[in-house]
Amino acid sequence: MKKILLPFFLVFMSLLTQAQTPGRFTIKGTVIDSSGTLLPSATVMLLTPQDSALVNFGRTNEQGELEFKNVKRASYLLKISYVGYLPYEQQVQPGEEAVVDLGQIQLKMLNQDLFEVVIKAARAPLSIRGDTVEYNAGSFKVPPGSTVEDLLRRLPGMQIEQDGTIRSQGQEVKRVTVDGKRFFGDDPKMATKNLPAEAISKVQVFNGKSEQARITGVEDGKQEKTLNLELKDSHKKGGFGKATVGAGTDNRVEGKVNYNRFNDKQQFAIVGFGNNTNQSGLSWDDYQDFRGSQSFNWGDDGDFGFSSGGGVRFVSFDDDQESLTIQAGRSSRDRGFTKNWAGGANYNYDTKKTKFSSNYFYNQTDQTLDVLSNRENFLSSGTFQTSDNNTRSNLNMNHRGGIRFEHTLDSLNTIIVISNARFGRGSSRYNSLQEFYRGENNLSTRSNINNNNRFNSFSMGNTAIFRHKFQKKGRNFAVSVGYNINNSDGDATQRSVNEFFREEGDSTAVINQDNQTVSLRTQFKASALYIEPLGKKFFWETFANFSLRQDEVDRDVFDISQEAQIRNTFLSRYYTNDFVYNRFGSSMRYSYKGFNLSAGLARVYFDLKGQFSQDQTTPEIGRVDRQFTRWTPSASLNYSMKNNKYLFMNYNLNVDEPPIRDLQPIIDNSNPLYIREGNPDLQPQANHNVSAGLSMFNPGNFTQFFINVYYAYYLNQIVYNQTVSQDLITTTRPVNISGGTNLGSYINYGFPLVKTKSTLNINSSIGFNKNLIYVNEILNTTNTDRYNVGLRLDLTPSDKFTLYTNANWNFSNTRYSLNTTQNQKIVNSSYGAEMNVKLPAEMYFSSRFNLNTFVNDRFGFNQTQPILNLSVYKIILKDKKGEVRLSAYDLFNQNRGITQYATQNFVSTEQVNTLARYFMLSFTYNMRGVTGGVRRRGF
């Protein structure tokens, strides 16, 4: 640990020493207007005269004073900007004095005659107006061929996580637009990963309004960090894009292409890629496609009113958690072997009254996993161990399309129509050898499993919204209707040989079954919202939500023998379900000068009717007819204070109906040693949620601070009780239980050590979870304490060298009331460094190193995994349109997909045979040619 932390300490001390080195001086001055009025919070920047590179920046204080301390003794260009005034420039030539006092600096009022002068003088690296920070992209050099993501890493106050998540001022960016328009829906990564940096003129970061505030015009105090990319005029004429092809050792290949054509009214973009190097490049929606999930509307769903859970929102995912092997938004290289093919197109049309956006995306993923996992399960009478050596193959193919049409009928009326659709098909294969042990080497059960599945699915979600603004300011009415459909069918073969070893004699059970499942879900929903202003500061909001959902599931299971195919009436089920959801609520809001306080109450009504039988022709063997009524309160406080400080507090009670799969009286024996069954007697689960947080951002020095705390208490929580037989067959059944809790906090603090040269970010989180579950009818309480500390140091001393380092330590302590001797302590840590260097002759060098450690002394697990990636590339061809790159991945050949975790009544470790060392030679062609310095590049 000391050896790893030493480089961080040495770098920090060197920077601190540099800041105190003799031969430096201080620049002072006072900014006023022509009448002598002081101008506080003016943006001031110190640039190099040669290339206008940003050296330092800040804002004037309340007295209009500027000060740059301990700057290197050299000539500088001082730039000052202030809203409504002509930008100011002045050369600073220091002598031998320690302080250069510029005296009073007078700014001139802006008028039409000075407009052209402003256009030329305003090309400063950044400007700050309130909570909006605007960067001049040309002032932050990146190497040829860089993406917008590479550019964002160079901007002060911006951070890009390893999974591509964008953070500004410590908060996650929720929306990225291009010239104010949507780009491939609302996925931020689609724009930042596919658009070239050389196409961007400006990057603007600001706090956007929530969707409801945009619709109604009534401030609700909720903020949504938004990033807008403004294109250069040259890239609004004609097309731009690039293509890459590569080939490597072990028959590794990859290719990708993107093309964009934008103008003031229209945007057209195409992206595509294919590879066998585990580069999924998945957005959130693509990730659902990989899982084979169903469609739903993300945002703009027309479900008005405060959140209280329930069945209005139409979200349905594939329930097979075994297939969750790639995380959303990541270009994952750490599990298995994958072949990926994807392509899509995006078209936007935007005028003053009409906004139209559409997109289509196709995704195909073929993945193979060879997995070795070990698990220890805790019972009141002892423990048993499971060893699972399995091979999984998953093939998923999905088409996804969506449109959004918004038209302003007049100044008071607007309509919005949204439609999303998916069509998917795929197959999976699962071969497994599972062995169960009592004690050290006492083999109790062995199972050989060979399962195959195929599926087809179609889904569509549609929503129409009409909103009306009355002549009275603040009075609004909105109504929405929606219709959604999910239709899927699949068939599976289940083959397994299960051996049981007992003292009284061994036995064998064979499963040889085929099953076919057809399911159809439809939903009609409607919502209404009315807002009435009560004076200038108070607003009364009333809303109503209605949803009718109908489900039909037909599952046929057949026992296969040499003589015949016999229907298994015990496992076969035909199930129908009608679910009615009604919610009516009202809230009062106070809104004045950034202070928003809201409190409301809603009444939620559930009506669940269902019946099931062996098939459509046989009499019903069970019926569900249940009604529930719940009151759901909600309260929130959002306060936008001066100097970019923001405080929020929220409370709400969420009530959610049981998942349809858990309600179905179906026994799933696809894994004969782990059987799942439904429970039609489940009640809706509820949870009280309390959260609070504070964020602060100083635009003068780009120091940021964010902290939040949260607490949740669960009532009638749906958990999965376990019953373990003598043969170690585990049967799970969902039930309701109350008493679970979740308490935690997250803190983030970031600041520049040397402005524009180095930034340090510190984050930490803690969490305390209490989970309840019955094991063999004995209550087990699992308490898990989690602690995380992270450090991140970014060094960008010049356009020729950048270094990004990070370290994270995760510690968890899990305690089981069922068997305290099996308490677990797990320690996971990771260390990373990424270096980029510009070499002579248009050559560049990049490297990334990651060291991951996994320790669990109780389980005897201790693994260290070093991963080193290297690449060298050269810019070629006329206008720098080409790039040749040689890359080495996992040079130490150590990549293994390792995971470990402890929860409920077990602890588990898993290793996956994964793509490791290989070399790749690639060529990239850029249509327009490129310019730039070093960039941070993911491998």
Side-chain angles (χ1 to χ4, degrees), residues 302-304 311-313 480-482 523-528 543-549 579-584 605:
D303 298 335
F304 303 126
V312 176
R313 287 172 173 83
S480 71
V481 293
Q523 182 190 40
F524 171 78
K525 63 177 186 175
S527 294
F543 57 88
N545 309 117
F546 169 80
S547 170
L548 171 61
R549 194 186 75 199
F579 177 74
V580 176
Y581 172 92
N582 274 302
R583 185 176 73 141
F584 181 81
Y605 173 75

Side-chain angles (χ1 to χ4, degrees), residues 135-138 197-203 229-233:
Y135 304 88
N136 178 8
E198 63 264 20
I200 306 304
S201 170
K202 295 179 182 179
V203 177
L229 304 171
E230 186 175 307
L231 293 174
K232 295 177 180 176
D233 290 338

Side-chain angles (χ1 to χ4, degrees), residues 615-633:
D615 59 41
Q616 296 96 318
T617 61
T618 60
E620 65 179 54
I621 57 177
R623 176 180 288 272
V624 177
D625 189 355
R626 313 189 72 186
Q627 292 79 36
F628 304 95
T629 299
R630 298 288 188 271
W631 290 96
T632 58

Side-chain angles (χ1 to χ4, degrees), residues 433-445:
L433 173 62
Q434 299 180 7
E435 294 181 329
F436 291 67
Y437 294 87
R438 292 185 183 274
E440 291 290 331
N441 298 303
N442 184 13
L443 179 62
S444 175
T445 305

Side-chain angles (χ1 to χ4, degrees), residues 50 89 113 146 157 178 182 189 204 213 234 247 255 320 363 370 549 639 681 692 716 796 835 849 877 898 917 937:
Q50 299 84 3
E89 290 186 6
D113 296 335
S146 296
V178 179
R182 297 170 181 239
K189 302 181 186 68
Q204 299 156 339
S234 60
D320 184 8
N363 184 61
D370 292 319
R549 194 186 75 199
Y639 185 26
D681 295 324
N716 289 322
T796 55
M835 182 175 65
F849 176 72
L877 302 182
I898 299 175
R917 181 171 56 204
R937 180 182 178 94

Side-chain angles (χ1 to χ4, degrees), residues 6 44 63 116 138 250 286 347 493 524 550 625 667 758 867:
L6 183 59
V44 291
Q63 287 73 44
E116 292 297 327
D250 299 327
D286 307 328
Y347 174 74
T493 61
F524 171 78
Q550 296 178 311
D625 189 355
I667 296 176
S758 62
I867 305 292

